PDB file of all heavy atoms in Angstrom:
ATOM      1  N   PRO A   1    -135.368  17.630 155.156  1.00 94.00           N
ATOM      2  CA  PRO A   1    -135.436  16.434 154.276  1.00 94.00           C
ATOM      3  C   PRO A   1    -136.615  16.773 153.264  1.00 94.00           C
ATOM      4  O   PRO A   1    -137.599  17.287 153.560  1.00 94.00           O
ATOM      5  CB  PRO A   1    -135.812  15.369 155.211  1.00 94.00           C
ATOM      6  CG  PRO A   1    -135.256  15.748 156.464  1.00 94.00           C
ATOM      7  CD  PRO A   1    -135.366  17.207 156.438  1.00 94.00           C
ATOM      8  N   LYS A   2    -136.343  16.223 151.913  1.00 88.00           N
ATOM      9  CA  LYS A   2    -137.206  16.520 150.886  1.00 88.00           C
ATOM     10  C   LYS A   2    -138.639  16.059 151.113  1.00 88.00           C
ATOM     11  O   LYS A   2    -139.661  16.609 150.504  1.00 88.00           O
ATOM     12  CB  LYS A   2    -136.710  15.993 149.596  1.00 88.00           C
ATOM     13  CG  LYS A   2    -136.637  14.477 149.454  1.00 88.00           C
ATOM     14  CD  LYS A   2    -136.074  13.983 148.090  1.00 88.00           C
ATOM     15  CE  LYS A   2    -136.055  12.504 148.016  1.00 88.00           C
ATOM     16  NZ  LYS A   2    -137.332  11.963 147.952  1.00 88.00           N
ATOM     17  N   ASP A   3    -138.830  14.946 151.953  1.00 89.00           N
ATOM     18  CA  ASP A   3    -140.169  14.623 152.104  1.00 89.00           C
ATOM     19  C   ASP A   3    -140.853  15.070 153.388  1.00 89.00           C
ATOM     20  O   ASP A   3    -141.941  14.681 153.822  1.00 89.00           O
ATOM     21  CB  ASP A   3    -140.191  13.030 152.283  1.00 89.00           C
ATOM     22  CG  ASP A   3    -139.835  12.357 150.929  1.00 89.00           C
ATOM     23  OD1 ASP A   3    -140.268  12.866 149.950  1.00 89.00           O
ATOM     24  OD2 ASP A   3    -138.966  11.359 150.960  1.00 89.00           O
ATOM     25  N   ALA A   4    -140.142  16.051 154.056  1.00 92.00           N
ATOM     26  CA  ALA A   4    -140.681  16.460 155.339  1.00 92.00           C
ATOM     27  C   ALA A   4    -141.970  17.073 155.447  1.00 92.00           C
ATOM     28  O   ALA A   4    -142.791  16.908 156.336  1.00 92.00           O
ATOM     29  CB  ALA A   4    -139.593  17.586 155.859  1.00 92.00           C
ATOM     30  N   SER A   5    -142.291  17.874 154.313  1.00 89.00           N
ATOM     31  CA  SER A   5    -143.668  18.490 154.278  1.00 89.00           C
ATOM     32  C   SER A   5    -144.755  17.610 153.678  1.00 89.00           C
ATOM     33  O   SER A   5    -145.932  17.764 153.965  1.00 89.00           O
ATOM     34  CB  SER A   5    -143.465  19.838 153.444  1.00 89.00           C
ATOM     35  OG  SER A   5    -142.625  20.702 154.039  1.00 89.00           O
ATOM     36  N   THR A   6    -144.412  16.680 152.883  1.00 92.00           N
ATOM     37  CA  THR A   6    -145.376  15.760 152.306  1.00 92.00           C
ATOM     38  C   THR A   6    -144.891  14.414 152.382  1.00 92.00           C
ATOM     39  O   THR A   6    -144.361  13.740 151.383  1.00 92.00           O
ATOM     40  CB  THR A   6    -145.485  16.082 150.706  1.00 92.00           C
ATOM     41  OG1 THR A   6    -144.224  16.060 150.089  1.00 92.00           O
ATOM     42  CG2 THR A   6    -146.075  17.544 150.552  1.00 92.00           C
ATOM     43  N   LEU A   7    -145.019  13.791 153.605  1.00 94.00           N
ATOM     44  CA  LEU A   7    -144.521  12.426 153.841  1.00 94.00           C
ATOM     45  C   LEU A   7    -145.265  11.409 153.104  1.00 94.00           C
ATOM     46  O   LEU A   7    -146.484  11.445 152.886  1.00 94.00           O
ATOM     47  CB  LEU A   7    -144.819  12.188 155.394  1.00 94.00           C
ATOM     48  CG  LEU A   7    -143.976  12.897 156.465  1.00 94.00           C
ATOM     49  CD1 LEU A   7    -144.460  12.449 157.811  1.00 94.00           C
ATOM     50  CD2 LEU A   7    -142.471  12.529 156.256  1.00 94.00           C
ATOM     51  N   PRO A   8    -144.487  10.511 152.577  1.00 94.00           N
ATOM     52  CA  PRO A   8    -145.083   9.348 151.844  1.00 94.00           C
ATOM     53  C   PRO A   8    -145.829   8.334 152.846  1.00 94.00           C
ATOM     54  O   PRO A   8    -145.530   8.486 154.045  1.00 94.00           O
ATOM     55  CB  PRO A   8    -143.952   8.619 151.078  1.00 94.00           C
ATOM     56  CG  PRO A   8    -142.799   9.099 151.853  1.00 94.00           C
ATOM     57  CD  PRO A   8    -143.069  10.449 152.424  1.00 94.00           C
ATOM     58  N   ASP A   9    -146.633   7.570 152.368  1.00 95.00           N
ATOM     59  CA  ASP A   9    -147.374   6.581 153.227  1.00 95.00           C
ATOM     60  C   ASP A   9    -146.353   5.620 154.013  1.00 95.00           C
ATOM     61  O   ASP A   9    -145.336   5.384 153.389  1.00 95.00           O
ATOM     62  CB  ASP A   9    -148.219   5.640 152.389  1.00 95.00           C
ATOM     63  CG  ASP A   9    -149.376   6.332 151.728  1.00 95.00           C
ATOM     64  OD1 ASP A   9    -149.761   7.438 152.328  1.00 95.00           O
ATOM     65  OD2 ASP A   9    -150.058   5.775 150.855  1.00 95.00           O
ATOM     66  N   GLY A  10    -146.637   5.643 155.321  1.00 95.00           N
ATOM     67  CA  GLY A  10    -145.857   4.700 156.147  1.00 95.00           C
ATOM     68  C   GLY A  10    -144.597   5.440 156.829  1.00 95.00           C
ATOM     69  O   GLY A  10    -143.773   4.907 157.447  1.00 95.00           O
ATOM     70  N   ALA A  11    -144.420   6.768 156.334  1.00 96.00           N
ATOM     71  CA  ALA A  11    -143.141   7.528 156.806  1.00 96.00           C
ATOM     72  C   ALA A  11    -143.461   8.411 158.049  1.00 96.00           C
ATOM     73  O   ALA A  11    -144.687   8.541 158.368  1.00 96.00           O
ATOM     74  CB  ALA A  11    -142.692   8.466 155.709  1.00 96.00           C
ATOM     75  N   THR A  12    -142.371   8.687 158.661  1.00 97.00           N
ATOM     76  CA  THR A  12    -142.455   9.499 159.930  1.00 97.00           C
ATOM     77  C   THR A  12    -141.423  10.580 159.872  1.00 97.00           C
ATOM     78  O   THR A  12    -140.218  10.296 159.569  1.00 97.00           O
ATOM     79  CB  THR A  12    -142.243   8.567 161.258  1.00 97.00           C
ATOM     80  OG1 THR A  12    -143.370   7.616 161.239  1.00 97.00           O
ATOM     81  CG2 THR A  12    -142.319   9.372 162.530  1.00 97.00           C
ATOM     82  N   LEU A  13    -141.800  11.773 160.295  1.00 97.00           N
ATOM     83  CA  LEU A  13    -140.791  12.781 160.535  1.00 97.00           C
ATOM     84  C   LEU A  13    -140.452  13.054 161.957  1.00 97.00           C
ATOM     85  O   LEU A  13    -141.258  13.019 162.757  1.00 97.00           O
ATOM     86  CB  LEU A  13    -141.356  14.224 159.926  1.00 97.00           C
ATOM     87  CG  LEU A  13    -140.338  15.428 160.147  1.00 97.00           C
ATOM     88  CD1 LEU A  13    -139.071  15.254 159.324  1.00 97.00           C
ATOM     89  CD2 LEU A  13    -141.212  16.730 159.790  1.00 97.00           C
ATOM     90  N   VAL A  14    -139.150  12.907 162.201  1.00 97.00           N
ATOM     91  CA  VAL A  14    -138.754  12.887 163.632  1.00 97.00           C
ATOM     92  C   VAL A  14    -137.745  14.083 163.807  1.00 97.00           C
ATOM     93  O   VAL A  14    -136.895  14.386 162.997  1.00 97.00           O
ATOM     94  CB  VAL A  14    -137.872  11.599 163.870  1.00 97.00           C
ATOM     95  CG1 VAL A  14    -137.254  11.602 165.349  1.00 97.00           C
ATOM     96  CG2 VAL A  14    -138.740  10.389 163.694  1.00 97.00           C
ATOM     97  N   LYS A  15    -137.935  14.678 164.964  1.00 97.00           N
ATOM     98  CA  LYS A  15    -136.993  15.720 165.505  1.00 97.00           C
ATOM     99  C   LYS A  15    -135.953  14.994 166.322  1.00 97.00           C
ATOM    100  O   LYS A  15    -136.240  14.374 167.372  1.00 97.00           O
ATOM    101  CB  LYS A  15    -137.709  16.838 166.254  1.00 97.00           C
ATOM    102  CG  LYS A  15    -136.716  18.020 166.605  1.00 97.00           C
ATOM    103  CD  LYS A  15    -137.473  19.187 167.149  1.00 97.00           C
ATOM    104  CE  LYS A  15    -136.428  20.436 167.289  1.00 97.00           C
ATOM    105  NZ  LYS A  15    -137.079  21.552 167.871  1.00 97.00           N
ATOM    106  N   VAL A  16    -134.766  14.958 165.788  1.00 98.00           N
ATOM    107  CA  VAL A  16    -133.649  14.057 166.388  1.00 98.00           C
ATOM    108  C   VAL A  16    -133.108  14.840 167.630  1.00 98.00           C
ATOM    109  O   VAL A  16    -132.829  15.943 167.598  1.00 98.00           O
ATOM    110  CB  VAL A  16    -132.478  13.815 165.325  1.00 98.00           C
ATOM    111  CG1 VAL A  16    -131.431  13.024 165.995  1.00 98.00           C
ATOM    112  CG2 VAL A  16    -133.162  13.163 164.129  1.00 98.00           C
ATOM    113  N   GLU A  17    -132.844  14.010 168.759  1.00 98.00           N
ATOM    114  CA  GLU A  17    -132.223  14.423 169.938  1.00 98.00           C
ATOM    115  C   GLU A  17    -130.733  13.911 169.924  1.00 98.00           C
ATOM    116  O   GLU A  17    -129.828  14.615 170.169  1.00 98.00           O
ATOM    117  CB  GLU A  17    -132.979  14.123 171.182  1.00 98.00           C
ATOM    118  CG  GLU A  17    -132.238  14.667 172.413  1.00 98.00           C
ATOM    119  CD  GLU A  17    -133.112  14.686 173.630  1.00 98.00           C
ATOM    120  OE1 GLU A  17    -134.359  14.744 173.536  1.00 98.00           O
ATOM    121  OE2 GLU A  17    -132.556  14.554 174.766  1.00 98.00           O
ATOM    122  N   TYR A  18    -130.707  12.561 169.618  1.00 98.00           N
ATOM    123  CA  TYR A  18    -129.348  11.911 169.633  1.00 98.00           C
ATOM    124  C   TYR A  18    -129.260  11.117 168.388  1.00 98.00           C
ATOM    125  O   TYR A  18    -130.183  10.499 167.916  1.00 98.00           O
ATOM    126  CB  TYR A  18    -129.280  10.979 170.881  1.00 98.00           C
ATOM    127  CG  TYR A  18    -128.848  11.707 172.130  1.00 98.00           C
ATOM    128  CD1 TYR A  18    -129.776  12.109 173.122  1.00 98.00           C
ATOM    129  CD2 TYR A  18    -127.484  11.961 172.450  1.00 98.00           C
ATOM    130  CE1 TYR A  18    -129.381  12.712 174.277  1.00 98.00           C
ATOM    131  CE2 TYR A  18    -127.074  12.575 173.608  1.00 98.00           C
ATOM    132  CZ  TYR A  18    -128.108  12.926 174.475  1.00 98.00           C
ATOM    133  OH  TYR A  18    -127.618  13.581 175.639  1.00 98.00           O
ATOM    134  N   ALA A  19    -127.877  10.930 168.007  1.00 98.00           N
ATOM    135  CA  ALA A  19    -127.588  10.049 166.891  1.00 98.00           C
ATOM    136  C   ALA A  19    -126.359   9.220 167.358  1.00 98.00           C
ATOM    137  O   ALA A  19    -125.737   9.586 168.344  1.00 98.00           O
ATOM    138  CB  ALA A  19    -127.368  10.663 165.643  1.00 98.00           C
ATOM    139  N   SER A  20    -126.070   8.144 166.605  1.00 97.00           N
ATOM    140  CA  SER A  20    -124.999   7.301 167.002  1.00 97.00           C
ATOM    141  C   SER A  20    -124.265   6.816 165.763  1.00 97.00           C
ATOM    142  O   SER A  20    -125.143   6.097 164.824  1.00 97.00           O
ATOM    143  CB  SER A  20    -125.379   6.220 167.966  1.00 97.00           C
ATOM    144  OG  SER A  20    -124.208   5.478 168.342  1.00 97.00           O
ATOM    145  N   PRO A  21    -122.998   6.896 165.555  1.00 95.00           N
ATOM    146  CA  PRO A  21    -122.360   6.306 164.248  1.00 95.00           C
ATOM    147  C   PRO A  21    -122.070   4.935 164.362  1.00 95.00           C
ATOM    148  O   PRO A  21    -121.861   4.446 165.441  1.00 95.00           O
ATOM    149  CB  PRO A  21    -121.059   7.277 164.222  1.00 95.00           C
ATOM    150  CG  PRO A  21    -120.691   7.556 165.621  1.00 95.00           C
ATOM    151  CD  PRO A  21    -122.052   7.740 166.316  1.00 95.00           C
ATOM    152  N   ASN A  22    -121.860   4.401 163.207  1.00 93.00           N
ATOM    153  CA  ASN A  22    -121.428   2.927 163.070  1.00 93.00           C
ATOM    154  C   ASN A  22    -120.466   2.766 161.970  1.00 93.00           C
ATOM    155  O   ASN A  22    -120.297   3.709 161.061  1.00 93.00           O
ATOM    156  CB  ASN A  22    -122.662   1.997 162.747  1.00 93.00           C
ATOM    157  CG  ASN A  22    -123.599   1.951 163.918  1.00 93.00           C
ATOM    158  OD1 ASN A  22    -123.581   1.307 164.850  1.00 93.00           O
ATOM    159  ND2 ASN A  22    -124.663   2.858 163.819  1.00 93.00           N
ATOM    160  N   PRO A  23    -119.682   1.692 161.886  1.00 89.00           N
ATOM    161  CA  PRO A  23    -118.782   1.626 160.795  1.00 89.00           C
ATOM    162  C   PRO A  23    -119.340   1.722 159.388  1.00 89.00           C
ATOM    163  O   PRO A  23    -118.671   2.413 158.555  1.00 89.00           O
ATOM    164  CB  PRO A  23    -118.128   0.081 160.970  1.00 89.00           C
ATOM    165  CG  PRO A  23    -118.281  -0.138 162.384  1.00 89.00           C
ATOM    166  CD  PRO A  23    -119.604   0.572 162.879  1.00 89.00           C
ATOM    167  N   VAL A  24    -120.444   1.245 159.157  1.00 88.00           N
ATOM    168  CA  VAL A  24    -121.054   1.392 157.850  1.00 88.00           C
ATOM    169  C   VAL A  24    -121.335   2.886 157.482  1.00 88.00           C
ATOM    170  O   VAL A  24    -121.373   3.231 156.246  1.00 88.00           O
ATOM    171  CB  VAL A  24    -122.440   0.593 157.797  1.00 88.00           C
ATOM    172  CG1 VAL A  24    -123.505   1.184 158.667  1.00 88.00           C
ATOM    173  CG2 VAL A  24    -122.903   0.447 156.401  1.00 88.00           C
ATOM    174  N   ASP A  25    -121.461   3.731 158.411  1.00 91.00           N
ATOM    175  CA  ASP A  25    -121.723   5.121 158.256  1.00 91.00           C
ATOM    176  C   ASP A  25    -120.588   5.870 157.680  1.00 91.00           C
ATOM    177  O   ASP A  25    -120.838   6.968 157.102  1.00 91.00           O
ATOM    178  CB  ASP A  25    -122.192   5.788 159.468  1.00 91.00           C
ATOM    179  CG  ASP A  25    -123.528   5.239 160.084  1.00 91.00           C
ATOM    180  OD1 ASP A  25    -124.477   4.940 159.201  1.00 91.00           O
ATOM    181  OD2 ASP A  25    -123.735   5.033 161.151  1.00 91.00           O
ATOM    182  N   TYR A  26    -119.428   5.432 157.799  1.00 90.00           N
ATOM    183  CA  TYR A  26    -118.330   6.015 157.028  1.00 90.00           C
ATOM    184  C   TYR A  26    -117.793   5.172 155.920  1.00 90.00           C
ATOM    185  O   TYR A  26    -117.197   5.471 154.900  1.00 90.00           O
ATOM    186  CB  TYR A  26    -117.226   6.437 158.030  1.00 90.00           C
ATOM    187  CG  TYR A  26    -116.433   5.310 158.665  1.00 90.00           C
ATOM    188  CD1 TYR A  26    -115.248   4.776 157.899  1.00 90.00           C
ATOM    189  CD2 TYR A  26    -116.611   5.012 159.938  1.00 90.00           C
ATOM    190  CE1 TYR A  26    -114.581   3.806 158.543  1.00 90.00           C
ATOM    191  CE2 TYR A  26    -115.916   3.917 160.508  1.00 90.00           C
ATOM    192  CZ  TYR A  26    -114.830   3.361 159.833  1.00 90.00           C
ATOM    193  OH  TYR A  26    -114.103   2.313 160.436  1.00 90.00           O
ATOM    194  N   LYS A  27    -117.743   3.822 156.081  1.00 87.00           N
ATOM    195  CA  LYS A  27    -117.261   2.886 155.200  1.00 87.00           C
ATOM    196  C   LYS A  27    -117.947   2.999 153.747  1.00 87.00           C
ATOM    197  O   LYS A  27    -117.232   3.017 152.717  1.00 87.00           O
ATOM    198  CB  LYS A  27    -117.361   1.376 155.635  1.00 87.00           C
ATOM    199  CG  LYS A  27    -116.309   1.016 156.777  1.00 87.00           C
ATOM    200  CD  LYS A  27    -116.447  -0.300 157.221  1.00 87.00           C
ATOM    201  CE  LYS A  27    -115.515  -0.639 158.385  1.00 87.00           C
ATOM    202  NZ  LYS A  27    -115.584  -1.979 158.846  1.00 87.00           N
ATOM    203  N   MET A  28    -119.243   3.115 153.741  1.00 86.00           N
ATOM    204  CA  MET A  28    -119.941   3.109 152.489  1.00 86.00           C
ATOM    205  C   MET A  28    -119.776   4.487 151.783  1.00 86.00           C
ATOM    206  O   MET A  28    -119.464   4.580 150.604  1.00 86.00           O
ATOM    207  CB  MET A  28    -121.410   2.831 152.592  1.00 86.00           C
ATOM    208  CG  MET A  28    -121.709   1.507 153.208  1.00 86.00           C
ATOM    209  SD  MET A  28    -120.881   0.132 152.274  1.00 86.00           S
ATOM    210  CE  MET A  28    -121.674   0.289 150.579  1.00 86.00           C
ATOM    211  N   PRO A  29    -119.931   5.677 152.441  1.00 87.00           N
ATOM    212  CA  PRO A  29    -119.646   6.925 151.762  1.00 87.00           C
ATOM    213  C   PRO A  29    -118.378   7.151 151.236  1.00 87.00           C
ATOM    214  O   PRO A  29    -118.117   7.866 150.336  1.00 87.00           O
ATOM    215  CB  PRO A  29    -120.029   7.908 152.971  1.00 87.00           C
ATOM    216  CG  PRO A  29    -121.033   7.191 153.806  1.00 87.00           C
ATOM    217  CD  PRO A  29    -120.462   5.838 153.821  1.00 87.00           C
ATOM    218  N   GLU A  30    -117.370   6.531 151.871  1.00 85.00           N
ATOM    219  CA  GLU A  30    -115.942   6.630 151.544  1.00 85.00           C
ATOM    220  C   GLU A  30    -115.612   5.679 150.366  1.00 85.00           C
ATOM    221  O   GLU A  30    -114.551   5.814 149.723  1.00 85.00           O
ATOM    222  CB  GLU A  30    -115.111   6.387 152.604  1.00 85.00           C
ATOM    223  CG  GLU A  30    -115.103   7.507 153.784  1.00 85.00           C
ATOM    224  CD  GLU A  30    -114.106   7.334 154.860  1.00 85.00           C
ATOM    225  OE1 GLU A  30    -113.358   6.313 154.840  1.00 85.00           O
ATOM    226  OE2 GLU A  30    -114.184   8.092 155.834  1.00 85.00           O
ATOM    227  N   LEU A  31    -116.609   4.821 149.977  1.00 81.00           N
ATOM    228  CA  LEU A  31    -116.406   4.104 148.685  1.00 81.00           C
ATOM    229  C   LEU A  31    -116.726   4.963 147.497  1.00 81.00           C
ATOM    230  O   LEU A  31    -117.892   5.414 147.468  1.00 81.00           O
ATOM    231  CB  LEU A  31    -117.251   2.809 148.641  1.00 81.00           C
ATOM    232  CG  LEU A  31    -116.766   1.515 149.499  1.00 81.00           C
ATOM    233  CD1 LEU A  31    -117.871   0.518 149.408  1.00 81.00           C
ATOM    234  CD2 LEU A  31    -115.489   1.131 148.897  1.00 81.00           C
ATOM    235  N   TRP A  32    -115.812   5.200 146.557  1.00 76.00           N
ATOM    236  CA  TRP A  32    -116.127   6.130 145.481  1.00 76.00           C
ATOM    237  C   TRP A  32    -117.335   5.560 144.588  1.00 76.00           C
ATOM    238  O   TRP A  32    -118.123   6.401 144.349  1.00 76.00           O
ATOM    239  CB  TRP A  32    -114.957   6.078 144.589  1.00 76.00           C
ATOM    240  CG  TRP A  32    -115.108   7.003 143.336  1.00 76.00           C
ATOM    241  CD1 TRP A  32    -114.956   8.362 143.397  1.00 76.00           C
ATOM    242  CD2 TRP A  32    -115.593   6.604 142.100  1.00 76.00           C
ATOM    243  NE1 TRP A  32    -115.254   8.803 142.026  1.00 76.00           N
ATOM    244  CE2 TRP A  32    -115.671   7.750 141.248  1.00 76.00           C
ATOM    245  CE3 TRP A  32    -115.831   5.391 141.539  1.00 76.00           C
ATOM    246  CZ2 TRP A  32    -116.021   7.664 139.950  1.00 76.00           C
ATOM    247  CZ3 TRP A  32    -116.325   5.289 140.219  1.00 76.00           C
ATOM    248  CH2 TRP A  32    -116.422   6.499 139.430  1.00 76.00           C
ATOM    249  N   LEU A  33    -117.402   4.386 144.323  1.00 74.00           N
ATOM    250  CA  LEU A  33    -118.445   3.909 143.485  1.00 74.00           C
ATOM    251  C   LEU A  33    -119.806   4.123 144.160  1.00 74.00           C
ATOM    252  O   LEU A  33    -120.840   4.488 143.569  1.00 74.00           O
ATOM    253  CB  LEU A  33    -118.276   2.418 143.193  1.00 74.00           C
ATOM    254  CG  LEU A  33    -119.263   1.772 142.152  1.00 74.00           C
ATOM    255  CD1 LEU A  33    -119.004   2.465 140.819  1.00 74.00           C
ATOM    256  CD2 LEU A  33    -118.959   0.281 141.949  1.00 74.00           C
ATOM    257  N   TYR A  34    -119.918   3.716 145.490  1.00 76.00           N
ATOM    258  CA  TYR A  34    -121.074   3.971 146.216  1.00 76.00           C
ATOM    259  C   TYR A  34    -121.514   5.309 146.284  1.00 76.00           C
ATOM    260  O   TYR A  34    -122.782   5.823 146.021  1.00 76.00           O
ATOM    261  CB  TYR A  34    -120.978   3.359 147.608  1.00 76.00           C
ATOM    262  CG  TYR A  34    -122.265   3.609 148.467  1.00 76.00           C
ATOM    263  CD1 TYR A  34    -123.359   2.686 148.392  1.00 76.00           C
ATOM    264  CD2 TYR A  34    -122.420   4.620 149.315  1.00 76.00           C
ATOM    265  CE1 TYR A  34    -124.488   2.832 149.165  1.00 76.00           C
ATOM    266  CE2 TYR A  34    -123.530   4.861 150.150  1.00 76.00           C
ATOM    267  CZ  TYR A  34    -124.518   3.955 149.993  1.00 76.00           C
ATOM    268  OH  TYR A  34    -125.707   4.077 150.834  1.00 76.00           O
ATOM    269  N   ARG A  35    -120.596   6.256 146.537  1.00 77.00           N
ATOM    270  CA  ARG A  35    -120.848   7.635 146.592  1.00 77.00           C
ATOM    271  C   ARG A  35    -121.292   8.092 145.230  1.00 77.00           C
ATOM    272  O   ARG A  35    -122.171   9.113 145.070  1.00 77.00           O
ATOM    273  CB  ARG A  35    -119.629   8.384 147.053  1.00 77.00           C
ATOM    274  CG  ARG A  35    -119.743   9.851 147.370  1.00 77.00           C
ATOM    275  CD  ARG A  35    -118.556  10.488 148.006  1.00 77.00           C
ATOM    276  NE  ARG A  35    -117.409  10.521 147.183  1.00 77.00           N
ATOM    277  CZ  ARG A  35    -116.349   9.769 147.135  1.00 77.00           C
ATOM    278  NH1 ARG A  35    -116.221   8.971 148.192  1.00 77.00           N
ATOM    279  NH2 ARG A  35    -115.261   9.903 146.299  1.00 77.00           N
ATOM    280  N   ARG A  36    -120.760   7.600 144.175  1.00 76.00           N
ATOM    281  CA  ARG A  36    -121.030   8.201 142.885  1.00 76.00           C
ATOM    282  C   ARG A  36    -122.362   7.671 142.354  1.00 76.00           C
ATOM    283  O   ARG A  36    -123.210   8.409 141.714  1.00 76.00           O
ATOM    284  CB  ARG A  36    -120.084   7.569 141.864  1.00 76.00           C
ATOM    285  CG  ARG A  36    -120.190   8.098 140.418  1.00 76.00           C
ATOM    286  CD  ARG A  36    -120.022   9.506 140.249  1.00 76.00           C
ATOM    287  NE  ARG A  36    -120.135  10.021 138.909  1.00 76.00           N
ATOM    288  CZ  ARG A  36    -119.152  10.027 137.921  1.00 76.00           C
ATOM    289  NH1 ARG A  36    -117.933   9.722 138.334  1.00 76.00           N
ATOM    290  NH2 ARG A  36    -119.354  10.466 136.796  1.00 76.00           N
ATOM    291  N   LEU A  37    -122.792   6.501 142.679  1.00 72.00           N
ATOM    292  CA  LEU A  37    -124.008   5.813 142.224  1.00 72.00           C
ATOM    293  C   LEU A  37    -125.224   5.857 143.124  1.00 72.00           C
ATOM    294  O   LEU A  37    -126.358   5.805 142.622  1.00 72.00           O
ATOM    295  CB  LEU A  37    -123.840   4.390 141.828  1.00 72.00           C
ATOM    296  CG  LEU A  37    -122.623   4.146 140.720  1.00 72.00           C
ATOM    297  CD1 LEU A  37    -122.633   2.664 140.407  1.00 72.00           C
ATOM    298  CD2 LEU A  37    -123.040   4.904 139.479  1.00 72.00           C
ATOM    299  N   ALA A  38    -125.059   5.943 144.463  1.00 73.00           N
ATOM    300  CA  ALA A  38    -126.113   5.816 145.366  1.00 73.00           C
ATOM    301  C   ALA A  38    -126.365   6.938 146.238  1.00 73.00           C
ATOM    302  O   ALA A  38    -127.265   6.877 147.127  1.00 73.00           O
ATOM    303  CB  ALA A  38    -125.796   4.575 146.176  1.00 73.00           C
TER     304      ALA A  38
END
């Protein structure tokens, strides 16, 4: 991640062991406008 070496104030770098998907995690990226603008 771009901030990994120089974390901004209040940020934390985590080494991930587990993750879990949710509907928003595919619904938003699959929206063309969201993918294009955000």
Side-chain angles (χ1 to χ4, degrees):
K2 66 181 182 68
D3 295 321
S5 298
T6 54
L7 288 177
D9 289 343
T12 300
L13 177 65
V14 176
K15 188 169 186 180
V16 179
E17 183 166 332
Y18 277 95
S20 183
N22 296 280
V24 68
D25 295 319
Y26 70 83
K27 289 180 179 179
M28 298 310 294
E30 291 181 3
L31 278 177
W32 178 86
L33 188 61
Y34 178 85
R35 189 171 67 249
R36 182 70 179 270
L37 299 180

